[in-house]
Amino acid sequence: MKKLKNGVHRTWVRCREPLRSMRDLGWSARSRFRAARRSPEYQAAYEKAEPLVTVCVATYNRGELLIERCLKSLLRQDYKNLQIVVVGDCCTDDTPERVAALNDPRIEFVNLQERGKYPEEPRHRWMVGGTVAINHALSLARGDFVTHLDDDDEHAPDRVSKLLALARATRADIIWHPFDFERVPDEWHVNHAPKFAMNNVSTSSVFYHHWLRSVPWDINAWRYEEPGDWNRFRKIRYLGVNAVRSPDRLLKHYRERNQKKA
C-alpha cells in the first residue's frame, strides 16, 4: 500500500505543473503558440542583422546598487543595440536622479505612482515582490528579444552577444544558463542549472523571444507556493518552447544585505 501511495504521489507531482499551467493559460494556449511560432513575423527576429534586445529591470529604493552594479554591467555589454527599461515600484529615494545622471539614451526610466499591493507575509511577499514593476517594464519592451536583471545583480559583459548568437543558431524560444550565487556574503557557489526547472532558473538567467512577453508575471503566484519567476517559466515551458541551455556562467546573483527590494 505504501509503495502504491508513493507511486500515486510521484504521478501527481509530474502532472501538477502541466495541469496548473493549462488552467492558468487556457486549453488552447499551446496551439496559439505553435501557430505564432510558424509565422514569418515570429521567425524574423532570428534573421535581423542587429536585433533590438530589451533588458527589463524592476527596482525599489536601491539607487546606488542599481547604478553601480546592475546598470553599469548592462552599459558594459559588448552588444550595443539595447533598450534598457527600468521601472521603479514607486521609489521614494534618489533613484530617478541617479538614473538621469547616466545620460544614456538606451535607458528608459519610469517610476510608478503607486506601490504594488503585495502580501504582508514576508515569504509570500518575497515570492512576488516587484511583480507590478516588472510587468510594466514588459509592456514597454520593444525588443526582438527580451531579458531581465535584478537591480542588485550583474551580467557578464558578453552575455547578450553570446545568448543572441545561440538563439540564432538554435532558433531557441528561450535560453537559460548557469550562474554564480552568493550563499552568504562573500561566499560564492555555482548553480549549474542542468534543467529548465525550479531552482535552476532565475529571473536574470533567461533570454527569450519577444512573443513570450504575452505570458506575464502573476502577483498571485504565492498561492501556489511558487516564486513568481518560476510560476511564469513553468507556464512558458508548458507551451512547448524550444528551451536551450547555454553552458556559460553569465550572471552574478548577490545575496541581499539588508537592502530594500522591489
Side-chain angles (χ1 to χ4, degrees):
M1 179 63 72
K2 184 177 180 181
K3 185 175 180 181
L4 178 62
K5 287 182 179 179
N6 287 341
V8 170
H9 176 72
R10 285 195 297 270
T11 299
W12 162 240
V13 169
R14 285 197 303 270
C15 295
R16 179 176 56 196
E17 288 193 348
L19 288 172
R20 283 179 175 176
S21 298
M22 182 171 65
R23 181 171 63 183
D24 292 339
L25 296 176
W27 65 271
S28 63
R30 282 178 166 178
S31 59
R32 291 198 306 271
F33 171 69
R34 287 195 295 267
R37 197 175 192 278
R38 289 192 297 268
S39 71
E41 292 80 12
Y42 191 104
Q43 294 300 321
Y46 303 102
E47 304 295 342
K48 292 184 179 181
E50 194 174 73
L52 180 65
V53 175
T54 298
V55 188
C56 296
V57 179
T59 191
Y60 176 64
N61 286 0
R62 295 208 284 198
E64 184 175 358
L65 276 177
L66 171 71
I67 301 301
E68 296 302 320
R69 190 181 290 165
C70 169
L71 292 184
K72 281 195 173 179
S73 80
L74 297 179
L75 297 178
R76 286 196 297 263
Q77 292 294 309
D78 59 10
Y79 187 82
K80 301 303 181 184
N81 193 21
L82 301 176
Q83 176 201 19
I84 302 170
V85 182
V86 183
V87 176
D89 206 349
C90 195
C91 294
T92 57
D93 66 351
D94 60 351
T95 293
E97 292 77 16
R98 286 177 178 269
V99 174
L102 291 174
N103 194 30
D104 192 302
R106 295 173 297 175
I107 300 175
E108 302 172 18
F109 178 74
V110 176
N111 195 24
L112 300 180
Q113 296 302 301
E114 184 177 349
R115 184 106 164 98
K117 300 296 191 295
Y118 305 118
E120 292 297 327
E121 197 279 322
R123 183 167 178 272
H124 291 160
R125 189 179 184 86
W126 165 80
M127 287 179 170
V128 297
T131 295
V132 174
I134 200 65
N135 278 337
H136 191 81
L138 267 184
S139 74
L140 300 175
R142 302 189 307 273
D144 302 288
F145 295 92
V146 179
T147 189
H148 302 266
L149 183 55
D150 285 348
D151 62 356
D152 60 339
D153 292 341
E154 62 185 8
H155 280 157
D158 56 352
R159 180 179 183 270
V160 171
S161 60
K162 281 186 172 180
L163 298 184
L164 181 57
L166 182 59
R168 285 167 152 168
T170 61
R171 298 279 166 151
D173 302 301
I174 189 166
I175 297 170
W176 84 100
H177 57 77
F179 55 91
D180 299 312
F181 68 97
E182 200 177 26
R183 182 167 290 162
V184 297
D186 301 315
E187 180 184 306
W188 288 90
H189 300 265
V190 178
N191 186 329
H192 293 282
K195 298 178 181 179
F196 190 66
M198 188 186 293
N199 300 321
N200 286 240
V201 185
S202 78
T203 298
S204 305
S205 68
V206 297
F207 180 95
Y208 55 88
H209 190 282
H210 70 89
W211 188 93
L212 296 174
R213 290 176 305 165
S214 62
V215 183
W217 266 261
D218 182 359
I219 200 168
N220 293 310
W222 63 271
R223 297 182 186 276
Y224 283 141
E225 290 292 325
E226 289 179 330
D229 52 4
W230 179 246
N231 174 274
R232 181 180 187 232
F233 297 143
R234 59 104 170 143
K235 287 181 275 194
I236 288 174
R237 185 176 69 176
Y238 168 78
L239 292 174
V241 294
N242 178 23
V244 174
R245 178 183 180 273
S246 166
D248 299 304
R249 290 164 26 215
L250 301 170
L251 164 69
K252 291 189 76 173
H253 179 62
Y254 288 79
R255 180 181 174 85
E256 287 190 59
R257 305 186 188 191
N258 299 318
Q259 298 281 345
K260 293 182 179 180
K261 187 171 182 179

